[in-house]
Amino acid sequence: MDPPTEVIAPVDDYDDEYEDYDDEYYEDDDYYDDEDEQPAPPPDSTARKTVRTIGELLITAGLVILLFVVYEVYVTDLISAGKQDDATQALDDQWSSNTVATDPQREVKYDLLDGQAFAKMYIPVFGPDYKFSVVEGTTDKDLEIGPGHYKGTALPGEPGNFSVAGHRVGKGAPFNDLDLLNSCDAIVVETQTQWFVYRVLPMAGEAAGWAEKQANPKCAKVSPLGAPYDKTVGQEIVLPTQGEVISQVPHFTGEVPAAQQAALMTLTTCHPRFSDRQRLIVHAVLTMSYPKAPDFVPEEMKES
Amino acid sequence: MYPWIWRHLPGPLPVRILEAVVLVAGVVALLMFVVFPWAEPKLPFNNVTTPQ
């Protein structure tokens, strides 16, 4: 019977100690209250001021960088949307006032002025609201307005390589989702007189089983291009220095007569997103063209 | 820095708050319309072209 008694006794002791501790705690609290009422003036030394100012500057720098992200991702979109609207308006005015289109005997002539739109592009799989006016030139100023045509590369519908660069982040980000394009997806280009339907070429691994893919009506007129186009695939990621992706025959250094050149379209943008370490390239081939007519819209525009 | 600015704003509290808001808006506008457009092309993360 003795051991239980011994066990109970220490517990009583502990309670007493706890009460004692409580008292002490309240005494401490009173002590701190007194100090709050009469705070000692903080020593406003030079060191203290310096540290405080550095802290404030660092917080400010962080806020400025956050603000820059907001600017880059949202505000440039707004600015570019205004410029894109202006360019589209100017193009519509030009198309409706210029009557060259009505005379089939006359050859189409593009008025290529830097920073001015000369064509519109649509990617129907990105939705019916995906449309951009393509401007001439690829300087920063041109690309702020919209996708820009590399000067000197082919024009829409021509044999060669109609090459267009566009932003992926901010500034309207026309090529934001370029990595989501699959083979055979349509890229429709509208000029003053014609509609051109380009379709993304087979991807690198798809050439082998292409016969099956061609059962898809979208792919009927798309097939891997033979030599000298053997390295030209639907999508590739290259180094920023690899300008050969927009040459007349991509990745091919020799001369190919214009008659033997395919009519390609190449889109370039930065990769990975928010970086310029690489370039994302999409190659497409001309599969169809229609003359423009009032109220006529190519059926490819309804694809999704 | 911020306490120093706050101490030097004239007027009663509501006026001071208004002044502070105007100051912040001015700095944000300066950044958005002058500093960022100037600095942005110098940063390398949005190059989308390849050489021709």
Side-chain angles (χ1 to χ4, degrees):
Chain A
M1 290 296 284
D2 281 348
T5 321
E6 275 173 27
V7 172
I8 292 164
V11 172
D12 281 345
D13 280 353
Y14 175 77
D15 278 351
D16 288 345
E17 274 172 24
Y18 188 73
E19 279 163 25
D20 285 350
Y21 175 78
D22 260 1
D23 288 345
E24 275 169 30
Y25 177 76
Y26 285 124
E27 275 164 30
D28 278 357
D29 210 28
D30 286 345
Y31 172 75
Y32 282 125
D33 277 351
D34 285 345
E35 198 186 48
D36 280 350
E37 284 159 19
Q38 295 264 312
D44 223 9
S45 64
T46 315
R48 202 187 162 93
K49 270 186 193 164
T50 311
V51 169
R52 188 172 58 207
T53 306
I54 290 172
E56 284 172 354
L57 285 175
L58 288 175
I59 292 170
T60 309
L63 290 174
V64 168
I65 288 168
L66 273 179
L67 201 63
F68 181 73
V69 173
V70 171
Y71 168 82
E72 187 63 25
V73 177
Y74 298 106
V75 179
T76 58
D77 272 357
L78 295 175
I79 297 170
S80 287
K83 292 183 177 175
Q84 170 72 204
D85 286 349
D86 292 346
T88 305
Q89 188 61 48
L91 184 62
D92 287 339
D93 290 349
Q94 192 194 333
W95 281 358
S96 56
S97 66
N98 191 338
T99 52
V100 172
T102 57
D103 183 353
Q105 297 301 311
R106 290 184 66 178
E107 208 172 298
V108 190
K109 194 177 163 300
Y110 295 96
D111 290 326
L112 295 177
L113 293 173
D114 286 7
Q116 283 199 15
F118 65 95
K120 296 180 188 179
M121 68 176 282
Y122 308 82
I123 300 184
V125 289
F126 289 166
D129 57 345
Y130 185 97
K131 58 174 179 201
F132 283 96
S133 295
V134 182
V135 302
E136 174 72 351
T138 49
T139 63
D140 287 346
K141 235 179 126 206
D142 300 329
L143 294 177
E144 249 176 47
I145 306 166
H149 170 236
Y150 285 88
K151 284 167 132 184
T153 64
L155 286 161
E158 287 180 359
N161 194 354
F162 172 48
S163 304
V164 177
H167 278 295
R168 199 166 181 197
V169 173
K171 307 205 178 65
F175 290 175
N176 186 31
D177 295 326
L178 217 56
D179 55 325
L180 302 180
L181 278 180
N182 291 313
S183 48
C184 305
D185 282 344
I187 303 167
V188 181
V189 177
E190 181 189 6
T191 67
Q192 188 180 3
T193 55
Q194 275 179 298
W195 295 91
F196 297 104
V197 180
Y198 291 86
R199 287 189 185 277
V200 178
L201 282 165
M203 300 297 165
E206 286 180 335
W210 193 249
E212 283 172 41
K213 260 255 182 187
Q214 271 191 314
N216 182 346
K218 282 166 81 175
C219 294
K221 289 186 179 172
V222 184
S223 55
L225 303 169
Y229 288 96
D230 20 18
K231 284 188 192 159
T232 308
V233 291
Q235 186 196 90
E236 55 182 337
I237 288 160
V238 301
L239 293 173
T241 50
Q242 287 182 270
E244 64 263 32
V245 293
I246 59 162
S247 52
Q248 286 184 326
V249 179
H251 300 292
F252 187 77
T253 43
E255 281 291 314
V256 179
Q260 288 168 35
Q261 287 176 11
L264 294 183
M265 179 173 188
T266 296
L267 310 178
T268 74
T269 194
C270 54
H271 187 85
R273 203 169 284 158
F274 298 107
S275 162
D276 77 336
R277 209 165 59 235
Q278 293 166 314
R279 296 288 182 270
L280 174 67
I281 311 294
V282 169
H283 295 293
V285 65
L286 184 68
T287 58
M288 201 66 187
S289 67
Y290 306 94
K292 290 254 289 257
D295 299 324
F296 170 77
V297 175
E299 55 187 338
E300 286 86 351
M301 293 285 281
K302 294 172 194 98
E303 284 174 9
S304 58
Chain B
M1 183 173 72
Y2 294 118
W4 182 88
I5 295 171
W6 182 251
R7 278 198 305 274
H8 286 75
L9 289 175
L13 185 64
V15 179
R16 280 177 159 199
I17 290 172
L18 190 71
E19 286 163 354
V21 169
V22 169
L23 270 181
V24 169
V27 170
V28 168
L30 186 75
L31 286 172
M32 286 282 182
F33 299 116
V34 180
V35 179
F36 291 162
W38 165 83
E40 198 216 3
K42 296 178 166 45
L43 297 170
F45 56 76
N46 215 354
N47 294 333
V48 295
T49 58
T50 65
Q52 267 177 284

